[in-house]
């Protein structure tokens, strides 16, 4: 269909109306059949016409239907500010309540106070909030104006050039020209880039906080443009999806006039808010504008969370309303009864205009409303304002705590939610991510396995044992780094290593100091000029010390690559050599790492260097090969010990196989200890030294050509730390990634030769496939090779079946390689390493072309595009050949074990939700003290609902026998006699339990309605570890625990996959780590290290809760005590609604006299010092139990307030009972003694006294007398006919007044003082004990704290009770096969058996699952401990362990056995 100038839009409408519009792909059966064509709809898809002379009319018609690019984040305009703000404020029930009182007071028959006086409190509160909202909205308006008026170059069709305009003038279909360091004004489809390869580099820090650059490429077909882009030559239409908030998803196609279509995705879309980097000019067409852009659709605004105290306040306010209703009802009934005592109408009962009087019932109703107005202070309107002010003060001190500030990253704690600070002190469950949260997310290459041979990299392990020495280099090393590259090269590689051998071999030392993490610039204005540092490039990540044995094989493999250019078939002896070369080529190529230089980190290296300039002559290659042969020959003669068997080499060589089961796990290590526990001979050690020296000399020769060029060092910018670690590891073996473009990637080999691979296709990593693939063409062999890396659980299932081959020997060898690689993977996982598998596949040209056509059609599809792309990826990623595996260490953060131990002592349950392998997560759990060596750990791995339910029942029954021993009902003459069951000896601790569960089992639990049993089991476990969890499962677990158990939850994470979990919890904490800022931007609080959680919760959380809870209770007490004075007076004034206190004095009472002390109390009070709170984490449990504010404390406080009001009213009443003083003279001492009592009550509640506290309390008391003297001295006719003129002056001259003011507060506060004294003397509260310890001198206090901790510390489980690992097997339709890790060391295997069993060898507990026993093929090793039908419980094992003699643990007691059952 050709689109003409005049009819294109009409033709599109005609096609939609008649249903003739077909989908982007109509011919391929891979997508859908011809009969199932999907029709286009303007309501579901977006049509974009370009704004040029060809399509101008169509563009004018359709662009009006789309949003403009002007944004408005303000709530109000000048016209809507007042009504809309008042409307929002009156959504609060308290404001509506007081508005109702104002309206009532305006009725003449119910007027209690002056109309203006009643309006004043509400008007002040509304005005303050209105001013605050207005200032905030004004700031937003100025910010919007600055953005909308930003400059951008838009193509103008009349002038046929780019014109400077504002962002608000951008419309859909406009052509936009952007330059380097400019911000993208809208969502733009990239059509041109000044980069020759069609790449545009983006910095997305404004969206997700990630400082590493992203690549965006122009639409296919527009990359090869010699000159500038001409908008007038663009005659295509664009069809894409409707606006949505998926930042990483975008699909559409471009239709040419000749009906051909080209698909594009998110890799071609420039998002609004991103910054153009390293690209001089970029041109694109606008797709989404304004509030339809993906960035603004993701900006949903701040989330409002209600704290637990706030919910408690709302409940208690309803109780206050009930109390108010009761008091008003008593007043109304009393008024009616009192009026009936008069035989005639009293003089104050004024009739209406007709001379009739109100009926008693109607009069009582009016009096009911009048009493509501009179006693309105019972509902504390000032409490809400006070709470907001207190929280602001708490956040201020929290933000300025230097202990929570990361000095290295200059990152203080961020408080993004001001209304839930007190919830920090009531947390009961913590859900934490592992990678980047508990660990550093600094991925360090540790070990690898290639073709079944494991290289343990012992020297690299030694380097990592001293991280502090690596992070803070010596002065000499720093001086060496400051040398220029040629000068350093002149010194030779031998100077790279220190004498001790622990200094790593640094092949590419950066000239700049590496800074880890996202450093925040202090000067915002310099963000455009100063570039952020390269992520994942710290010295501990970059510098990998090669394994000496592997290094020699790598150089042999690199030399072998040269033989491919001769087009000769590979010899059988080079099969392993080729696998090593392919392994490191896969590490170098299969990634999305971008290359930059150290001198200008944002200057991309995209031009591949010439191979000839870096290549070595054939003479040098021949010399190296001769030296390599001599080296291997000398090793073979000098070594008397048998070397490790290379499975890859033995595939083609006729070497007799001597491998046995004991040698299956042989590792190629550099240290003195061999894998079988013995020590290597001296001749072997001598050969190692010789090899090291030869390797060094080879290094000098091979790197000389490259170093002689004095090229700036290359820096690698990766989207994930795993990719960076693998590239750095390959670089350590001189497989160096030199440059990368969308079409090519250049790798420099160890001998200096550069190979440029053509990139045919890249299948990026996603969480569903869990793998990444790159299709390249080998420049030497011209083969099309697919390199794939991914999770071992996925790659192992995609490998080629060895049974398909015809050679039996090759089949056996391949099976053996796979089995040994799997054992190495299990070994890595037990050591806590992150594992990846590397594989390859060679495909023919015809097969690739056929697949590429399917892939292109899938990319052009709009409907079911993700499913089609997934299908094409599965067509390619199968029948793979295993190359090897890698083990990457994610280092544990500093202070994590101590923090977890402290949180556990505080009574907080800690769950770890991770997507890692179970073995890796369990090992990290032991390292960070989440699981203890003495814990009984249950591992549940099953997909069967029935099996899962039975396992949960068995585990619960076994645990309950320890925690809840059964007491049968056996009676003897009416007395209950329990059976004599074995009991735990006194003083012995009950063993703790842990639970390990995977994602598939979680699905079974969530879908099979087993949540109740699962939660019941977790409540007995002190730690729960959920492995292989998806982001959705994380949020579902948090919601399940929060809603079902009704507990306070906290989620902490650092990545985008943790956002849903963070938002689901009561408090979400984001860590500003290596995975961007999405978690931080979605959180309520943001910290930089997990260890800061300790002080944040135990100190600040406790303080915030204690202060605010006691302040809220005090507010209720203050208001009830004061209002009850007015209520008691009604019994003596005929329930007429009169008051004995002046109206202004009542307003001043809450506004000035008693307002500041509670605020100071809520911000600065410290019941226990920070040092004591950190030393005694169990003090945190007071917040979990809501000791400061609960229904009991509320009602006790209300009763105390009622008692104090009785004393404050009746003591002055009885004193002046027979006198002739007037009403206000009677009310003045009542007001004075009540104020004194309330302030003294506040003073008794304060635990911290400073000069500020004394000044505020005494100042409030003196202010009352000062204001009263001034008011009573100048107010002659303020409240006619009764005026308070000179009342205070007369009272101060009366000695009785002083006596009343002294005795009344003493009598009123005596019960509370007595209660506090008894509580402080005999109370068992931990807080009271800690307060006593705080008052002791420092030395004595430390001794008391130590003795406290010794008493609180549980009795350790005797050594006779070894930790047990309960492995609950998965049950499927197929039979089980056991894969238990075998150790080559008999001593270690013996210890594994001892570790699993309880007690001595005679008391072994070997139990089998009755559900699994039906399958005869289910055989378990001796290291497995299963829940059994014979019900040999852990309780019996525990008791038998108590009676048995404790055995001394073996040397390898820190090693734990992991037996797994796989399908």
């Amino acid at each position: 269909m050709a689109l003409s100038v005049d009819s294109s839009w009409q033709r599109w409408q005609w096609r939609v109306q008649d249903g003739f519009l077909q989908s982007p792909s109509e011919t391929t059966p891979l997508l859908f059949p011809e009969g199932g064509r999907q029709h286009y709809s303007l309501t579901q898809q977006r049509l974009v016409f370009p704004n040029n002379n060809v399509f101008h009319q169509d563009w004018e018609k359709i662009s009006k239907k789309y949003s403009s690019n002007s944004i408005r984040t303000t709530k109000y305009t000048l016209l809507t500010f007042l009504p809309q703000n008042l409307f929002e404020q009156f959504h609060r029930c308290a404001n509506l309540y007081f508005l109702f009182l104002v309206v009532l007071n305006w009725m003449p028959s119910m007027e209690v106070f002056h109309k203006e006086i009643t309006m004043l409190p509400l008007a002040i509160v509304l005005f303050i909030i209105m001013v605050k909202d207005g200032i905030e909205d004004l700031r937003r308006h100025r910010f919007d104006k600055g953005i909308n008026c930003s400059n951008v170059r838009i193509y103008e069709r009349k002038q046929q050039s780019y014109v400077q305009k504002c962002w608000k003038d951008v419309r859909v279909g406009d052509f936009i020209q952007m330059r380097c360091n400019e911000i993208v004004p809208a969502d733009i489809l990239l059509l041109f880039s000044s980069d020759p390869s069609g790449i545009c580099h983006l910095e997305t820090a404004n969206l997700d906080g990630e400082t590493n650059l992203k690549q965006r490429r122009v639409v296919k077909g527009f990359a090869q443009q010699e000159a500038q882009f001409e908008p007038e030559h663009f005659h295509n239409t664009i069809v894409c999806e409707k606006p949505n908030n998926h930042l990483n998803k975008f699909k559409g196609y471009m239709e040419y006039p000749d009906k051909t279509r080209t698909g594009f995705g998110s890799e071609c879309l420039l998002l609004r808010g991103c910054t153009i980097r390293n690209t001089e000019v970029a041109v694109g067409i606008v797709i989404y504008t304004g509030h339809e852009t993906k960035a603004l659709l993701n900006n949903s605004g701040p989330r409002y969370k209600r704290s637990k105290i706030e919910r408690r306040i709302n409940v208690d306010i309803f109780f206050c309303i009930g109390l108010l209703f009761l008091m008003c009802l008593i007043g109304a009934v009393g008024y009616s009864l009192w009026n009936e005592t008069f035989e005639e109408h009293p003089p104050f009962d004024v009739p209406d205009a007709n001379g009739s009087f109100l009926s008693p019932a109607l009069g009582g109703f009016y009096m009911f409303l009048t009493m509501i107005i009179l006693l309105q202070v019972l509902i504390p309107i000032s409490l809400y304002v006070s709470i907001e002010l207190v929280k602001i003060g708490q956040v201020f001190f929290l933000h300025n705590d230097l202990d929570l500030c990361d000095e290295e990253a200059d990152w203080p704690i961020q408080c993004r939610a001001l209304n839930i600070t007190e919830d920090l002190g009531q947390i009961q469950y913590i859900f934490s991510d592992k990678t980047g949260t508990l660990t550093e997310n600094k991925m360090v290459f540790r070990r690898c396995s290639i073709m079944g041979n494991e290289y343990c990299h012992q020297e690299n392990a030694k380097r990592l044992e001293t991280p502090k020495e690596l992070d803070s280099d010596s002065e000499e090393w720093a001086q060496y780094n400051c040398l220029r590259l040629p000068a350093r090269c002149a010194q030779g590689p031998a100077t790279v290593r220190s004498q001790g051998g622990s200094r790593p071999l640094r092949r590419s030392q950066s000239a700049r100091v590496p800074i880890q993490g996202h450093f925040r610039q202090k000067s915002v204005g310099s963000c455009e000029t100063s570039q952020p540092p390269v992520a994942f490039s710290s010295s501990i990540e970059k510098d990998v010390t090669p394994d000496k044995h592997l290094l020699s094989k790598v150089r042999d493999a690199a030399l072998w690559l040269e033989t491919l250019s001769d087009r000769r078939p590979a010899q059988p002896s080079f099969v392993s050599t080729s696998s090593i070369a392919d392994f490191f080529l896969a590490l170098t190529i299969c990634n999305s790492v971008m290359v930059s230089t150290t001198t200008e980190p944002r200057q991309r290296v995209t031009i591949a260097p010439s191979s000839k300039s870096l290549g070595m002559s054939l003479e040098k290659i021949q010399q190296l090969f001769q030296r390599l042969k001599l080296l291997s020959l000398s090793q073979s003669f000098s070594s008397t010990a048998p070397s490790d068997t290379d499975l890859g080499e033995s595939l083609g060589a006729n070497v007799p196989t001597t491998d046995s089961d004991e040698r299956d796990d042989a590792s190629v290590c550099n240290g003195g200890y061999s894998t079988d526990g013995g020590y290597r001979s001296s001749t072997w050690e001598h050969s190692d030294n010789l090899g090291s020296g030869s390797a060094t000399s080879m290094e000098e020769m091979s790197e000389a050509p490259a170093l002689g060029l004095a090229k700036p060092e290359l820096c690698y910018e990766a989207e994930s730390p795993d990719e960076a670690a693998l590239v750095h590891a390959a670089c350590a073996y001189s497989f160096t990634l030199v440059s990368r473009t969308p079409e090519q990637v250049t790798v420099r080999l160890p001998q200096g030769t550069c190979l440029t691979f053509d990139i045919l296709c890249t299948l990026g990593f996603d969480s569903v496939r869990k793998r990444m693939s790159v299709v390249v063409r080998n420049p030497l062999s011209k083969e099309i090779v697919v390199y794939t890396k991914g999770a071992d659980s996925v790659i192992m299932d995609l490998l080629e079946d060895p049974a398909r081959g015809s050679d039996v020997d090759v089949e056996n060898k391949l099976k053996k390689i796979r089995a040994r690689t799997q054992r190495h993977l299990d070994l890595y996982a037990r050591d806590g390493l992150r594992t990846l598998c590397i594989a390859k596949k060679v495909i023919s040209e015809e097969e690739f072309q056929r697949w590429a056509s399917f892939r292109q059609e899938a990319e052009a599809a709009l409907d079911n595009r993700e499913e089609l792309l997934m299908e094409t990826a599965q067509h390619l990623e199968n029948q793979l050949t295993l190359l090897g595996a890698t083990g990457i260490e994610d280092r544990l953060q500093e202070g994590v074990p101590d923090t977890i131990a402290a949180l556990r002592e505080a009574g907080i349950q800690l769950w770890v939700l991770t997507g890692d392998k179970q073995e890796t997560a369990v090992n990290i759990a032991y390292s960070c003290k989440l699981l203890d060596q003495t814990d009984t750990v249950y591992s549940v791995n099953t997909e069967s609902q029935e099996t899962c339910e039975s396992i949960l029942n068995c585990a619960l029954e076994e645990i309950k026998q320890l925690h809840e021993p059964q007491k049968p009902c056996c009676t003897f003459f009416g007395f209950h006699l329990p059976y004599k069951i074995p009991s735990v000896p006194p003083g012995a601790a009950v063993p703790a339990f842990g639970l390990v569960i995977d994602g598939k089992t979680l699905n079974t639990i969530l879908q099979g309605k087993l949540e109740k049993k699962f939660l019941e089991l977790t409540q007995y476990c002190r730690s729960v570890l959920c492995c292989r969890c998806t982001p959705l499962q994380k949020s579902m677990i948090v919601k399940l625990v929060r809603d079902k158990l009704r507990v306070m939850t906290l989620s902490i994470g650092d990545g985008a996959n943790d956002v849903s979990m963070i938002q689901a919890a009561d408090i979400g904490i984001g860590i500003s780590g290596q995975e961007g800022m999405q978690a931080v931007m979605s959180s309520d609080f943001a910290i930089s290290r997990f260890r800061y959680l300790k002080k944040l919760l135990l100190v600040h959380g406790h303080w915030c809760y204690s202060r605010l809870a006691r302040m809220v209770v005090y507010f209720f007490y203050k208001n009830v005590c004061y209002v009850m004075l007015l209520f008691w007076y009604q019994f003596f004034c005929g329930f007429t609604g009169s008051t004995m206190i002046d109206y202004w004095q009542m307003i001043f009472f809450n506004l000035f006299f008693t307002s500041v002390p509670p605020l100071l109390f809520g911000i600065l009070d410290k019941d226990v010092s920070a040092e004591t709170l950190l030393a005694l984490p169990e003090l945190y449990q007071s917040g979990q139990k809501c000791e400061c504010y609960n229904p009991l404390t509320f009602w006790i406080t209300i009763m105390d307030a009622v008692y104090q009001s009785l004393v404050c009213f009746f003591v002055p009443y009885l004193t002046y009972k027979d006198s002739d003083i007037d009403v206000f003279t009677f009310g003045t001492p009542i007001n004075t003694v009540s104020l004194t009592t309330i302030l003294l009550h506040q003073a008794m509640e304060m635990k911290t006294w400073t000069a500020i506290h004394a000044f505020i309390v005494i100042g409030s008391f003196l202010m009352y007398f000062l204001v009263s003297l001034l008011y009573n001295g100048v107010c002659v006719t303020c409240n006619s006919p009764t005026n308070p003129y000179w009342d205070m002056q007369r009272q101060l001259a009366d000695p009785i007044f002083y006596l009343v003011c002294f005795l009344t507060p003493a009598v009123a506060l005596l019960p509370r003082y007595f209660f506090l004294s008894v509580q402080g003397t005999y109370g068992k509260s931990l807080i009271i004990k800690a307060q006593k310890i705080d008052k002791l001198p420092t030395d004595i206090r430390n001794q008391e704290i130590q003795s406290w901790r010794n008493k609180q510390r549980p009795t350790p489980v005797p050594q006779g009770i070894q930790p047990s690992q309960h492995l609950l097997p998965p049950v499927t339709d197929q039979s089980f096969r056991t894969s238990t890790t075998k150790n080559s060391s008999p001593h270690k295997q013996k210890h594994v058996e001892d570790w699993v069993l309880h007690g001595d060898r005679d008391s072994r507990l070997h139990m089998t699952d009755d559900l699994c026993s039906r399958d005869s093929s289910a055989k378990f090793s001796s290291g497995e401990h299963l829940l059994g039908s014979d019900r040999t419980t852990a309780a019996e094992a525990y008791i038998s362990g108590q009676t048995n003699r404790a055995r001394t643990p073996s040397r390898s007691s820190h090693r734990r056995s992991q037996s797994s059952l796989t399908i």
Side-chain angles (χ1 to χ4, degrees), residues 709-875:
L709 295 174
K711 292 287 185 180
E713 182 202 350
L714 301 177
C715 292
Y716 300 122
E717 298 194 36
E719 296 186 7
S720 68
D722 300 77
E723 287 190 339
L726 295 180
V727 174
H728 289 312
C731 186
Y733 287 94
S734 299
F735 277 79
T736 308
L737 178 62
V738 177
S739 68
R740 178 185 298 276
T741 66
E743 291 80 18
Q744 292 180 336
V745 57
T746 302
V747 180
R748 184 167 59 216
L749 302 182
Q751 63 269 27
T753 304
C754 287
L755 297 181
T756 300
F757 294 80
D758 294 331
I759 299 178
L760 304 181
C761 185
T762 300
L763 304 179
F765 179 88
D766 60 70
S767 58
V768 178
R769 290 171 43 249
K770 297 182 180 179
R771 58 188 180 271
M772 175 186 182
S773 298
V774 175
V775 186
V776 298
R777 188 186 301 276
N778 193 303
L780 299 179
S781 64
K782 306 303 180 183
E783 292 179 332
I784 298 179
V785 184
V786 181
Y787 289 112
T788 303
K789 69 175 182 182
D792 56 334
S793 59
V794 175
I795 299 297
M796 286 298 186
D797 295 335
L798 300 176
L799 297 180
E800 183 180 7
D801 186 7
R804 298 181 59 182
S806 58
D807 194 344
V808 178
D809 293 336
V810 173
E811 177 184 346
N812 294 332
K813 294 299 180 182
L814 290 177
K815 290 182 178 179
K816 202 167 189 179
I817 289 175
R818 185 179 302 182
R820 291 176 63 174
T821 303
Q822 184 61 55
R823 283 194 289 273
H824 295 156
L825 289 168
D826 296 337
L827 174 66
Y828 297 165
R830 287 198 302 273
D831 288 342
L833 304 182
R834 296 165 62 90
T835 56
L836 283 176
C837 280
I838 312 297
K840 65 170 286 190
K841 177 183 179 181
V842 179
I843 59 177
S844 63
E845 186 74 30
E846 295 78 10
E847 184 181 357
F848 173 75
Q849 293 299 335
R850 184 168 57 254
W851 177 85
S853 63
F854 292 161
R855 180 75 179 183
Q856 184 177 4
E857 293 171 357
E859 290 176 346
L862 277 183
D863 299 326
N864 302 323
R865 185 173 186 266
E866 289 76 12
E867 292 79 1
L868 296 174
L869 292 176
M870 183 71 66
E871 184 179 349
T872 57
Q874 293 174 353
H875 276 62

Side-chain angles (χ1 to χ4, degrees), residues 353-647:
N354 299 327
S356 59
F357 294 90
L358 295 176
S359 63
L362 185 59
F365 175 73
Y366 282 164
M367 184 52 59
F368 179 85
L369 299 178
T370 303
M371 293 291 291
I372 290 179
I373 301 174
L374 176 66
L375 306 177
Q376 59 178 313
V377 187
L378 186 64
I379 309 299
I381 187 175
S382 58
L383 175 60
Y384 293 99
V385 180
S386 301
I387 288 176
E388 296 298 327
L389 296 177
V390 166
K391 290 181 178 180
I392 291 174
Q394 290 178 348
V395 167
F396 173 79
F397 287 105
L398 186 63
H399 183 76
N400 288 276
D401 189 348
L402 297 180
D403 293 338
L404 301 180
C405 178
D406 189 357
E407 297 180 358
E408 297 179 0
D410 190 21
W411 182 272
I413 182 175
Q414 290 187 358
C415 304
R416 304 171 60 86
L418 303 181
N419 56 328
I420 56 174
T421 54
E422 66 274 19
D423 281 347
L424 291 171
Q426 299 177 278
I427 298 301
Q428 296 166 281
Y429 279 77
I430 291 180
F431 301 91
S432 173
D433 181 35
K434 183 185 75 67
T435 304
T437 304
L438 301 178
T439 59
E440 289 279 1
N441 205 13
K442 292 183 179 179
M443 304 301 176
V444 183
F445 182 84
R446 284 295 306 272
R447 311 174 77 166
C448 67
S449 173
I450 304 177
M451 297 298 291
N453 293 305
E454 203 270 332
Y455 302 93
C456 59
H457 292 74
Q458 284 189 356
E459 290 187 5
N460 195 42
K462 294 177 182 178
R463 176 184 71 93
L464 297 174
E465 289 177 357
T466 55
K468 294 183 179 180
E469 297 178 4
L470 291 174
D471 293 338
S472 56
D473 292 337
S474 62
E475 183 178 356
E476 180 183 355
W477 188 258
Q479 292 177 356
Y480 173 78
N481 287 338
C482 295
L483 296 176
R484 293 184 177 272
L485 192 59
R488 288 166 53 188
C489 298
Q491 297 182 16
T495 62
V496 176
R497 295 183 184 271
S498 63
Q499 295 180 357
S502 61
R503 178 66 61 188
L505 177 63
R506 306 196 181 190
R507 301 183 180 276
S508 54
Q509 181 67 28
S510 175
R512 294 170 29 155
V513 178
I515 303 176
Q516 184 62 33
H518 304 288
F519 182 76
R520 292 290 174 263
Q521 302 287 346
K522 292 185 178 181
S523 175
V524 180
S526 62
C527 61
E528 292 293 336
T529 58
S530 62
Q531 303 293 347
V534 179
F536 319 127
S537 60
S538 64
S539 60
I540 200 170
E541 295 171 293
K542 289 171 46 179
D543 305 325
V544 178
T545 305
D547 186 276
K548 289 184 292 186
H549 293 83
L550 181 58
L551 186 62
S552 61
K553 295 183 180 181
V554 167
R555 299 191 181 282
D556 195 6
L559 293 175
W560 171 83
L561 285 175
E562 296 288 340
T563 63
L564 294 179
S565 59
D566 299 336
R567 299 300 181 98
R568 293 178 298 182
Q571 299 296 328
S573 61
F574 287 111
V575 174
S576 175
T577 305
S578 65
S579 300
I580 293 176
D582 281 326
F583 179 82
F584 284 100
L585 285 176
L587 297 187
T588 311
I589 295 174
C590 189
N591 52 64
S592 58
V593 175
M594 302 167 63
V595 187
S596 61
T597 60
T598 55
T599 54
E600 297 183 13
R602 295 309 193 192
Q603 183 64 37
R604 289 291 169 271
V605 179
T606 56
I607 302 177
S610 174
S611 300
K612 295 181 180 179
S613 61
L614 294 177
M616 301 176 64
S617 62
L618 293 178
E619 290 79 10
K620 289 187 177 181
I621 295 176
Q622 191 173 9
Q623 292 175 6
L624 284 174
F625 191 72
Q626 293 295 332
R627 293 194 62 175
L628 183 63
K629 291 173 63 177
L630 291 176
L631 174 63
S632 59
L633 187 63
S634 63
Q635 289 181 352
S636 63
F637 279 106
S638 61
S639 176
T640 59
S643 62
D644 62 300
T645 303
D646 193 329
L647 271 176

Side-chain angles (χ1 to χ4, degrees), residues 891-1154:
R891 302 176 64 85
L892 204 64
Q893 285 188 22
E894 180 184 357
V896 169
D898 295 337
T899 302
I900 291 179
L903 294 176
R904 178 170 290 147
E905 291 181 21
I908 299 176
Q909 289 261 17
L910 186 62
W911 292 30
V912 173
L913 313 179
T914 178
D916 282 349
K917 288 186 62 177
Q918 180 169 322
E919 294 83 359
T920 304
V922 168
N923 190 279
I924 293 295
Y926 281 108
S927 301
C928 65
K929 295 184 180 179
L930 182 70
L931 295 176
D932 192 74
Q933 298 291 335
T934 59
D935 289 351
T936 301
V937 180
Y938 294 93
S939 290
V940 186
N941 301 284
T942 180
E943 296 183 49
S944 171
Q945 180 179 345
E946 296 179 357
T947 306
C948 184
E949 185 176 3
S950 300
I951 287 173
L952 295 178
N953 291 332
C954 293
L956 279 171
E957 182 179 352
E958 183 173 336
I959 293 177
K960 286 181 179 180
Q961 290 187 9
L962 271 181
H963 289 271
E964 301 174 2
Q966 296 180 358
K967 297 181 180 180
C969 295
C970 179
T971 60
F972 181 73
F973 289 99
F975 296 94
H976 294 276
L977 297 179
Y979 287 123
K980 292 184 178 181
I981 59 174
S983 60
V984 179
V990 177
F993 298 94
L995 178 63
V996 180
I997 193 169
D998 63 351
K1000 295 180 179 179
T1001 310
L1002 283 175
N1003 280 337
T1004 305
I1005 291 174
L1006 296 176
Q1007 297 175 3
K1009 298 181 180 180
L1010 302 175
E1011 299 95 335
K1012 184 177 180 180
K1013 294 182 180 179
F1014 170 68
L1015 291 178
E1016 185 180 0
L1017 176 61
T1018 59
Q1019 288 181 291
Y1020 290 101
C1021 302
R1022 70 170 186 172
S1023 299
V1024 179
L1025 184 62
C1026 300
C1027 312
R1028 296 296 191 188
C1029 288
T1030 63
L1032 180 60
Q1033 284 179 329
K1034 291 182 178 182
S1035 63
M1036 292 176 65
I1037 292 173
V1038 175
K1039 292 177 182 178
L1040 177 67
V1041 174
R1042 184 197 64 192
D1043 298 336
K1044 298 297 184 181
L1045 299 182
R1046 296 186 179 182
V1047 293
M1048 294 295 295
T1049 58
L1050 181 147
S1051 294
I1052 180 170
D1054 71 318
N1057 58 336
D1058 303 319
V1059 170
S1060 57
M1061 174 180 70
I1062 289 174
Q1063 293 180 343
D1066 295 297
I1067 288 185
I1069 295 184
I1071 290 185
S1072 56
Q1074 302 276 350
E1075 298 185 15
M1077 300 291 289
Q1078 293 189 24
V1080 171
M1081 292 186 293
S1082 303
S1083 64
D1084 304 310
F1085 300 89
I1087 55 179
S1088 58
R1089 291 291 184 269
F1090 183 84
R1091 68 175 184 268
Y1092 296 149
L1093 194 64
K1094 179 179 179 180
K1095 187 174 184 181
L1096 178 62
L1097 295 184
L1098 301 186
V1099 178
H1100 290 285
H1102 174 81
W1103 282 346
C1104 290
Y1105 166 75
S1106 175
R1107 293 164 176 171
L1108 195 65
R1110 290 187 291 149
M1111 189 201 76
V1112 169
V1113 173
Y1114 175 77
F1115 255 93
F1116 281 115
Y1117 152 78
K1118 176 173 67 76
N1119 285 31
V1120 171
C1121 182
Y1122 197 70
V1123 166
M1124 292 302 294
L1125 298 175
L1126 305 178
F1127 178 71
W1128 302 134
Y1129 181 69
Q1130 301 307 307
F1131 288 90
F1132 301 93
C1133 68
F1135 298 97
T1136 56
S1138 303
T1139 61
M1140 71 291 190
I1141 303 174
D1142 183 73
Y1143 301 150
W1144 285 104
Q1145 287 279 19
M1146 296 174 62
I1147 292 177
F1148 292 157
F1149 185 87
N1150 280 323
L1151 191 61
F1152 298 115
F1153 306 149
T1154 60

Side-chain angles (χ1 to χ4, degrees), residues 1 10-22 26 255 261:
M1 179 188 68
Q10 286 77 9
R11 289 177 64 87
W12 275 103
Q13 288 183 324
W14 170 77
R15 294 183 68 183
V16 172
Q17 293 172 359
D18 293 347
F20 291 129
L21 184 58
Q22 297 170 345
E26 302 173 348
E255 182 167 331
R261 297 171 181 174

